[in-house]
Amino acid sequence: MKNSSSNKNIFIDAIKQSFAKLAPKTQVKNPVMLVVYLGAIFTTILYILALIGVKDESAGYTLSIALILWFTVLFANFAEAIAEGRGRAQADSLRSSRKDVKAKKLKAPNFDSDYTEILSSELKLGDVVLVVAGEQIPMDGEVIEGVASVDESAITGESAPVIRESGGDRSAVTGGTTLVSDWLIIRITAEAGKSFLDKMIAMVEGAARKKTPNEIALQILLVTLTIIFLVVTATLLPFSRFISNEVGLGSPISLTNIIALLVCLAPTTIGALLSSIGIAGMSRLNKANVLAMSGRAIEAAGDVDVLLLDKTGTITLGNRQASEFIALNDITEEDLANAAQLSSIADETAEGRSIVILAKEKFGIRGRDLSDMDVEFIEFTAKTRMSGVNYKGNEIRKGAADAIKAYVELNGGVYPEKCEDIVKKVANMGGTPLVVTKNFKVMGVIFLKDIVKNGVKEKFEDLRKIGIKTIMITGDNAMTAAVIAAEAGVDDFMAEATPEAKLKLIRDYQSKGHLVAMTGDGTNDAPALAQADVAVAMNSGTQAAKEAGNMVDLDSSPTKLIEVVRIGKQLLMTRGALTTFSVANDVAKYFAIIPVLFCGIFPELMGLNFMNLASSTSAILSAIIYNALIIIALIPLSLKGVKYREMSADKLLWRNMLIYGVGGLITPFIAIKAIDIILTIFKIV
């Protein structure tokens, strides 16, 4: 019900805005529709003149033309207004989360420092504030001390809180979000009115949307076509009068009909929808929780042909999973699984849980209640690089191969060569080996591997079909990277990647004419993000990464890059499809109007009136009625976008030509003839 009410409000507001946009300063921004606007004004004047006896055409006919032209302008305004209305609804939702709250401004950057309470709007760049659980973060900033859970649902829509901490790639916080636990000391990185949320609101509601290069180029083409038709139609009035008066053929074409002809010849369909297509594209990106800092970035995403993808979290799950127990010769696999499971019962990491699950799945070994037994759990530390359990006089440990080797040998045990061979084999296969020992005797190895996400290989295949090359970026060694790359089905990979290597890779591809997209979240990603044509920074990342990118993913999901590319391509496909339809429409309208309009002067042209339109009056009225109605009919398509399909540019072009080209050619003939029949039956003309 809430969504229905919201849509109703957007619809009502769009109707109001349609009339508000009739202001000349608004109309002049769209030159193609400006011609229709001026045509509506002139035909209105001609109607008034007809009422007082100065007739160009009959008053009723002129009024009909004037009203239809005004409706054409209103329909074009409505298309833009409804797209903007959606953006304003999103902006209002975001604006509700932006409040002027009290902030604890610290005198020194530490928890025990004295503070003064000031309003968030008074905070300056570089100020340090303390935020505790239950309080709203007053302004964008960087965490300089503390670790806490932050509720970002007001911005991202995700209900689960996220961790923000100092010193890492998850140090950026956004004003308007709420601290759920603990405390944070934050250095302010934005002033009032210039925060991330302020920029987001401006972009979402279209206030900061600038026309993109492709949009400008298309508009120049449409304006050029309109000027050509303006010149052509302007010459028809004196030409027809000369033929009529001097040669004595027929009667001259009226000014009303000349204006109507110009409107029908000009590319008004795409001219009316061009702005709404761009705004709707931005809106679709915002619905995907991605903020584009410019419309250019969305268009660039549609033209991207090289994707740089982080391995961890994008191609793989990000958490290594136990996939196999490899026992030494004198140990059974079940005994190894039993020991590994015992050592992992208290291990709450994803790796530890996966070991318990694998032992259960393979041998039915279930978790056991050790609460009443003499059990000592040994937690993993960066120093020991192992964890385990002391259980009924037994010492069971699992950990990195070199750490276990040192532990076994220090306690008088022997580290077998066979285990070293297994460790090397696992590493060469792209996995991580965990060695298990019981009472200083090595039992075998747990094979941990990065699990490639389900469906990723198919996604990369789809991208390949549309000419996009995928490159995996990872800090792993070349052997591990090669195994994951082969399993995921990427086209290429970069192992042991450094910030300099990423930057060089992007520049190399760009120098060959490619458009490159990448994701990043750390300060070390900033140079490459700044260089990439489409750079999606994670909202959870550092301020440097967010400033370097031209898009920010509010969900901080590295896989979002693929969705961004799809939305960009959908925007270009929608614009191309509707442009094709519009041009084809105009060609059909020429055949509908021109023969009957000039048959009084050149009777031979009646041979081209294969639609058998009743009269020139009926033909022109039918054409401009269709011209107005088709704008309304195409608004849903301009807002929703053409359905995205993975196919090559050539196939996409032919499909567009077949559906929107041929469809745009046939539809006007059918619709204009139908309108002509209705006008004739009801004797409207």
Side-chain angles (χ1 to χ4, degrees), residues 584-597 599 603-615 619 664-674 676-677:
N585 254 248
D586 291 340
V587 173
K589 284 184 285 185
Y590 304 159
F591 283 97
I593 299 175
I594 292 176
V596 292
L597 189 61
C599 66
E604 296 84 359
L605 287 175
M606 279 305 291
L608 295 176
N609 184 22
F610 58 86
M611 293 169 65
N612 290 319
L613 298 177
S615 65
L665 199 61
I666 295 172
T667 304
F669 288 118
I670 299 171
I672 290 172
K673 180 59 180 176
D676 174 73
I677 292 171

Side-chain angles (χ1 to χ4, degrees), residues 408-471:
V408 169
E409 291 178 348
L410 183 65
N411 289 279
V414 177
Y415 190 83
E417 286 187 19
K418 176 69 174 175
C419 187
E420 289 186 355
D421 293 339
I422 295 172
V423 167
K424 288 178 183 178
K425 182 181 177 182
V426 169
N428 289 339
M429 292 172 66
T432 301
L434 280 185
V435 180
V436 178
T437 176
K438 181 177 181 181
N439 298 329
F440 318 118
K441 179 181 179 179
V442 177
M443 300 184 72
V445 176
I446 305 169
F447 188 162
L448 295 179
K449 63 178 293 188
D450 273 337
I451 304 298
V452 173
K453 290 182 176 178
N454 286 332
V456 163
K457 193 167 187 175
E458 288 75 15
K459 282 184 181 178
F460 292 153
E461 181 60 36
D462 289 340
L463 291 172
R464 197 173 294 112
K465 287 177 184 176
I466 56 175
I468 296 178
K469 182 176 183 178
T470 51
I471 302 173

